[in-house]
Amino acid sequence: MVAAAVLRHLGAGTARRVVALPLTLSRGVSDSTEPLTVETSVPYKSHIVDPPAREVATTPRELVAFFRDMSVMRRFEIAADSLYKAKLIRGFCHLYDGQEAVAVGMEAATTRADAIITAYRDHCTYLARGGDIVAAFAELMGRRDGCSRGKGGSMHFYKKDANFYGGHGIVGAQAPLGCGLAFAHRYRKEDAVTFDLYGDGAANQGQLFEALNMAALWKLPAILVCENNHYGMGTAEWRASKSPDYYKRGDYVPGLKVDGMDVLAVKQACKFAKQHTLENGPIILEMDTYRYHGHSMSDPGSTYRTRDEIAGIRQERDPIERVRKLILTHDLSTSQELKDMEKEIRKQVDTAIAKAKESPMPDPSELFTNVYVNDCGLESFGVDRKEVTSVLP
Amino acid sequence: MAAASSLHVAAPVATPRVGSSAGNRSASAARVVRVAAAGSGAARAGGRLVARAAVAAKENSPARAASKSDGHEVLLFEALREALIEEMKVDPTVCVFGEDVGHYGGSYKVTKGLAEMFGDLRVLDTPIAENSFTGMGVGAAMKGLRPVIEGMNMGFLLLAYNQISNNCGMLHYTSGGQFKIPVVIRGPGGVGRQLGAEHSQRLESYFQSIPGLQMVACSTPYNAKGLMKAAIRSENPVVLFEHVLLYNLKEKIPDEEYVLCLEEAEMVRPGEHVTILTYSRMRYHVMQAAKTLVNKGYDPEVIDIRSLKPFDLHTIGNSIKKTHRVLIVEECMRTGGIGASLRSAIIDNFWDYLDAPIMCLSSQDVPTPYAAPLEDATVVQPAQIVAAVEQICR
């Protein structure tokens, strides 16, 4: 009521001045923490473990938060697409739109004491871990205020204080790193787990199986999450993997196949996995998900799959639309309010881009910083210490 | 191969281990250790290279600081083990990863007894999976542990090359300084006794260009222990090159704790006529050649460069300033080897001091053959060193 009244007051002519209403003021958008139970879209498939229940406990506030967070991510990725086409982002840019439910659902099931490590499709995981949206855009544009000081780029987002370990460009190389994180949890007797993400393409890497073996051998608290978007760049899963049942490929390691477009299913699975892994060692979660964009911005994404397929998934399984339907069905908000929220998010993202654009390029001296940790005054990287020539007495 | 070096116990310099500018070390508060230096060191200011007065103490000079006790004799592999034990006792985040390091005690006995002392988690027997256990070490380091990763033979670490180059070397940079990777990657390399091509690799050059890595090579029990400790304490990833044939060298080392400087070269034999730069096993071939050279009337200055990346251009430069002639003797491959980089570093920095072209004796660009005479011909032998010095000093 209030929201509608305010909007009418502003008048149609000033439609662009959309006031950002705090959520508590609007009647419709519920922030109630009353429990709500929703059934997952499809049952879980499991491998040598009993799957969790299909009924997921959630709250109106959580569902609205899911909607908001996924919308921010969606908006971020679409904005990144435009920035790339405007040549403000260069190099490789791998977009996550379509897969938001995995990042958001996982975050809902974890704490910041748990570690997450992923590959190069990392923008949204960074945001989910509490990453600053301005720093993210600045990093994409190679600016000084980027989250990696402009020196990492799209594939190297990290957030140490949130236990987010990046951000890795080489396919599969992060799998053993994730097991190392889990090892550190175990070594320090921390009650925390590591979510070690990789894709269906990386699922054929030898080092993944090496890492899996070690994790199982030493009962490391590692949850290996295969984000199966069905295409390893341009190669469909059935053309690359003899067995595309990635959740079964752990052999002696239990696995679960999850509808990765259903944020509640993801949340439930991650919660289940966390509990399981703290007691029993590693588990594999296969997230059945989909990316709308191509592998990266240089891939149109339509030479190896049909536009009908992409449109069909968008129609049937889009993660944001699913949550929108849930919210509307349970009358947690009105359709207009959700649209307003999206508009507000769009504005916030645009503001963030504008702010990021103001950030200057890194100083030339940054070329040489952070090559080494400045230990005992060491400041060199070439064999003859930078380009400074030796000064003798 | 006689251990030609005597104890380098210079004036004790107590260096409090306060947090460096990068801060946040996981170890406990400041420990005072003696940093034994080849010469007295002036403080190193910010980025400016401050020259150090390299003290050229003659071998028979009485200028040795009094040590509290006589020291104890160890073999090189025992010295490495002592270093590991000392560091693991003091810092609970130091752990060891490798094949057969635990229950078996290490293929060269460097980690013998450690598993009994520290447990199976801290001395981890890994499966034969170099790529991923090196990656695990890097991941654990990102989270604050300090793994010492052993390659049973340096050659096997080629399987882990991606992890060493991309993750180990680069993560500090690509994360804008958020993560540090204080790992030590160590193992024996070099040409042994007819071990065959794949087990006799000389791989220093392979890791040389990786940004973010430091490389050191030990050659005596004394410097092995000191460098191992320094490598473990360093916040940067350090590759420590050991040599298969040097593990049984015996030497008396101090009883007191000491840590060496990773970036420093070691003056083995001061001289006037020619600077011979060497490292690892070739040091002993050089010293053997030195005996012949001295008999022939030459006075070579022998420096064990120890630090392969970065080079200690102060010690090296001061030596060149004195002798004006340089011979590099290395076991590395000729092509793109340590000698090649050292040569260009010397030319860039000390051209004006040279009176003769720099000579570089490296091992041959061949896979190490099995047959003994062929294997001997692969590496530099003392006779070649003598001939080279004679040619340079003509």
Side-chain angles (χ1 to χ4, degrees):
Chain A
M1 276 304 173
V2 177
V6 172
L7 282 172
R8 253 183 281 124
H9 174 74
L10 285 175
T14 55
R16 249 197 252 132
R17 263 184 52 222
V18 175
V19 175
L21 296 166
L23 288 179
T24 47
L25 273 192
S26 12
R27 185 280 315 168
V29 185
S30 173
D31 64 343
S32 151
T33 49
E34 295 268 314
L36 187 60
T37 308
V38 181
E39 200 184 52
T40 65
S41 58
V42 292
Y44 295 101
K45 283 203 196 144
S46 69
H47 169 70
I48 62 172
V49 70
D50 288 326
R54 273 181 79 177
E55 289 71 37
V56 185
T58 181
T59 68
R61 176 188 283 184
E62 185 176 62
L63 282 176
V64 172
F66 283 167
F67 181 85
R68 171 170 264 282
D69 292 341
M70 288 198 284
S71 300
V72 171
M73 291 176 182
R74 179 68 59 92
R75 197 62 235 147
F76 182 99
E77 296 294 64
I78 293 177
D81 176 301
S82 309
L83 286 174
Y84 192 90
K85 287 174 176 147
K87 291 204 183 343
L88 282 161
I89 300 177
R90 314 304 300 272
F92 293 128
C93 189
H94 307 87
L95 299 178
Y96 200 71
D97 51 319
Q99 298 183 213
E100 299 89 352
V102 178
V104 172
M106 185 180 297
E107 196 58 33
T110 60
T111 68
R112 292 279 156 83
D114 297 318
I116 296 184
I117 188 169
T118 185
Y120 43 79
R121 209 175 293 279
D122 57 353
H123 308 162
C124 299
T125 319
Y126 171 76
L127 294 176
R129 284 259 105 178
D132 176 33
I133 195 171
V134 175
F137 277 122
E139 184 61 35
L140 288 176
M141 295 192 274
R143 306 298 173 98
R144 190 180 303 187
D145 297 316
C147 50
S148 295
R149 294 156 75 141
K151 300 201 284 195
S154 162
M155 298 186 284
H156 298 285
F157 280 23
Y158 307 86
K159 195 162 174 26
K160 184 174 182 186
D161 54 15
N163 274 315
F164 174 52
Y165 293 87
H168 296 274
I170 304 295
V171 170
Q174 78 280 8
L177 254 59
C179 285
L181 299 173
F183 178 83
H185 283 311
R186 172 131 189 256
Y187 191 95
R188 291 197 151 121
K189 303 193 173 71
E190 287 168 5
D191 202 23
V193 299
T194 298
F195 286 85
D196 193 352
L197 279 71
Y198 60 98
D200 49 293
N204 295 317
Q205 273 271 315
Q207 54 190 323
L208 178 68
F209 294 95
E210 292 177 14
L212 202 64
N213 175 46
M214 289 193 283
L217 197 59
W218 301 318
K219 270 182 132 183
L220 302 182
I223 300 169
L224 286 100
V225 182
C226 178
E227 291 184 287
N228 182 7
N229 57 25
H230 306 284
Y231 296 92
M233 202 162 89
T235 305
E237 61 180 338
W238 56 270
R239 292 183 65 229
S241 305
K242 181 72 181 164
S243 161
D245 284 330
Y246 300 106
Y247 70 108
K248 283 190 189 162
R249 277 162 134 215
D251 185 17
Y252 40 80
V253 173
L256 207 60
K257 182 162 176 170
V258 185
D259 178 2
M261 308 294 262
D262 178 354
V263 63
L264 291 168
V266 172
K267 172 187 145 178
Q268 181 93 317
C270 290
K271 262 197 157 129
F272 171 80
K274 180 169 171 175
Q275 202 181 349
H276 180 276
T277 207
L278 281 171
E279 288 161 33
N280 303 315
I283 185 171
I284 298 180
L285 295 180
E286 182 188 336
M287 303 288 180
D288 184 352
T289 182
Y290 200 84
R291 52 167 165 80
Y292 297 140
H293 271 88
H295 165 72
S296 70
M297 287 304 297
S298 36
D299 169 27
S302 51
T303 55
Y304 47 86
R305 49 186 195 172
T306 63
R307 292 195 196 278
D308 285 341
E309 179 187 294
I310 307 170
I313 305 265
R314 224 188 253 275
Q315 178 82 3
E316 307 286 320
R317 297 177 66 202
D318 185 86
I320 301 178
E321 291 314 305
R322 167 186 298 283
V323 176
R324 191 197 301 269
K325 274 195 207 107
L326 274 173
I327 291 176
L328 295 177
T329 316
H330 287 94
D331 196 27
L332 306 177
S333 178
T334 67
S335 151
Q336 183 61 42
E337 274 150 355
L338 292 179
K339 284 211 186 81
D340 291 341
M341 202 185 292
E342 285 175 303
K343 270 201 212 124
E344 180 199 328
I345 286 169
R346 191 179 177 134
K347 185 161 188 289
Q348 283 174 354
V349 168
D350 288 342
T351 311
I353 294 177
K355 186 133 193 286
K357 279 184 185 166
E358 283 168 26
S359 173
M361 287 288 168
D363 191 83
S365 65
E366 282 284 325
L367 181 64
F368 300 122
T369 58
N370 305 128
V371 179
Y372 291 98
V373 177
N374 275 1
D375 198 34
C376 301
L378 172 70
E379 209 178 291
S380 66
F381 21 81
V383 283
D384 63 347
R385 299 177 191 270
K386 246 196 281 199
E387 299 181 0
V388 176
T389 53
S390 272
V391 176
L392 295 179
Chain B
M1 280 165 288
S5 65
S6 50
L7 282 180
H8 290 283
V9 181
V13 173
T15 310
R17 302 272 315 166
V18 291
S20 57
S21 53
N24 57 320
R25 286 197 44 135
S26 54
S28 52
R31 288 169 280 170
V32 176
V33 298
R34 255 178 52 223
V35 178
S40 62
R44 191 170 309 195
R48 273 174 30 244
L49 298 169
V50 177
R52 270 190 267 136
V55 172
K58 288 278 178 188
E59 235 183 341
N60 52 0
S61 130
R64 272 213 248 148
S67 42
K68 298 228 166 60
S69 63
D70 264 342
H72 56 285
E73 252 189 359
V74 287
L75 302 176
L76 195 144
F77 74 87
E78 290 170 341
L80 290 167
R81 191 202 306 151
E82 269 185 31
L84 268 174
I85 292 176
E86 283 174 20
E87 291 304 299
M88 285 177 82
K89 276 193 177 146
V90 168
D91 186 347
T93 63
V94 180
C95 48
V96 179
F97 288 10
E99 295 156 10
D100 279 329
V101 293
H103 294 189
Y104 189 82
S107 54
Y108 292 95
K109 294 178 288 198
V110 173
T111 52
K112 187 153 188 245
L114 261 62
E116 286 85 356
M117 285 177 77
F118 299 107
D120 282 350
L121 197 64
R122 278 189 87 182
V123 186
L124 194 67
D125 274 328
T126 62
I128 304 176
E130 282 79 4
N131 192 3
S132 47
F133 73 69
T134 306
M136 260 186 71
V138 175
M142 281 172 94
K143 218 173 185 310
L145 300 188
R146 304 179 87 89
V148 177
I149 302 167
E150 173 179 304
M152 194 184 270
N153 186 290
M154 272 303 194
F156 306 163
L157 289 178
L158 289 177
L159 289 157
Y161 198 81
N162 176 60
Q163 295 290 351
I164 297 174
S165 166
N166 285 332
N167 291 332
C168 201
M170 294 189 191
L171 273 168
H172 187 63
Y173 193 84
T174 56
S175 67
Q178 284 180 73
F179 297 110
K180 51 185 171 82
I181 318 288
V183 298
V184 178
I185 297 173
R186 53 159 290 268
V191 173
R193 294 260 180 266
Q194 297 186 264
L195 298 176
E198 289 169 343
H199 293 74
S200 314
Q201 296 195 72
R202 303 139 259 157
L203 297 182
E204 296 85 83
S205 56
Y206 285 39
F207 299 106
Q208 208 190 155
S209 359
I210 298 175
L213 280 192
Q214 260 190 278
M215 299 187 349
V216 287
C218 63
S219 51
T220 67
Y222 179 78
N223 64 35
K225 180 173 178 183
L227 289 175
M228 171 74 101
K229 285 172 76 92
I232 292 174
R233 293 182 188 197
S234 170
E235 304 291 9
N236 295 303
V238 179
V239 183
L240 170 59
F241 291 93
E242 302 156 14
H243 196 288
V244 275
L245 293 181
L246 298 184
Y247 280 127
N248 290 323
L249 281 182
K250 196 184 283 193
E251 189 184 8
K252 204 175 240 185
I253 64 172
D255 290 328
E256 309 86 52
E257 190 182 26
Y258 68 95
V259 181
L260 293 178
C261 179
L262 283 177
E263 299 91 28
E264 213 169 68
E266 188 179 315
M267 178 66 70
V268 183
R269 183 194 186 282
E272 297 289 326
H273 291 163
V274 59
T275 298
I276 306 184
L277 303 171
T278 183
Y279 66 92
S280 193
R281 183 186 167 215
M282 287 297 114
R283 166 188 175 137
Y284 297 96
H285 282 202
V286 167
M287 289 312 290
Q288 206 177 318
K291 282 198 204 125
T292 315
L293 287 167
V294 163
N295 288 337
K296 290 191 174 196
Y298 295 97
D299 188 19
E301 176 152 293
V302 180
I303 294 177
D304 181 340
I305 63 173
R306 270 186 1 202
S307 176
L308 305 181
K309 178 171 167 158
F311 296 133
D312 178 4
L313 289 181
H314 282 294
T315 309
I316 294 172
N318 280 327
S319 174
I320 297 174
K321 199 178 173 202
K322 187 171 49 157
T323 67
H324 310 292
R325 293 179 157 77
V326 184
L327 169 65
I328 302 170
V329 180
E330 58 165 358
E331 195 173 320
C332 200
M333 312 297 274
R334 179 162 202 74
T335 303
I338 300 291
S341 302
L342 188 51
R343 219 176 188 167
S344 51
I346 293 173
I347 289 173
D348 280 347
N349 288 286
F350 308 122
W351 175 258
D352 291 328
Y353 294 105
L354 292 170
D355 282 349
I358 305 169
M359 273 194 80
C360 182
L361 296 177
S362 329
S363 67
Q364 303 310 311
D365 281 342
V366 295
T368 314
Y370 167 71
L374 292 181
E375 185 183 67
D376 285 340
T378 310
V379 298
V380 180
Q381 298 296 339
Q384 292 164 286
I385 302 171
V386 172
V389 169
E390 286 177 329
Q391 187 179 332
I392 289 182
C393 291
R394 208 187 300 274

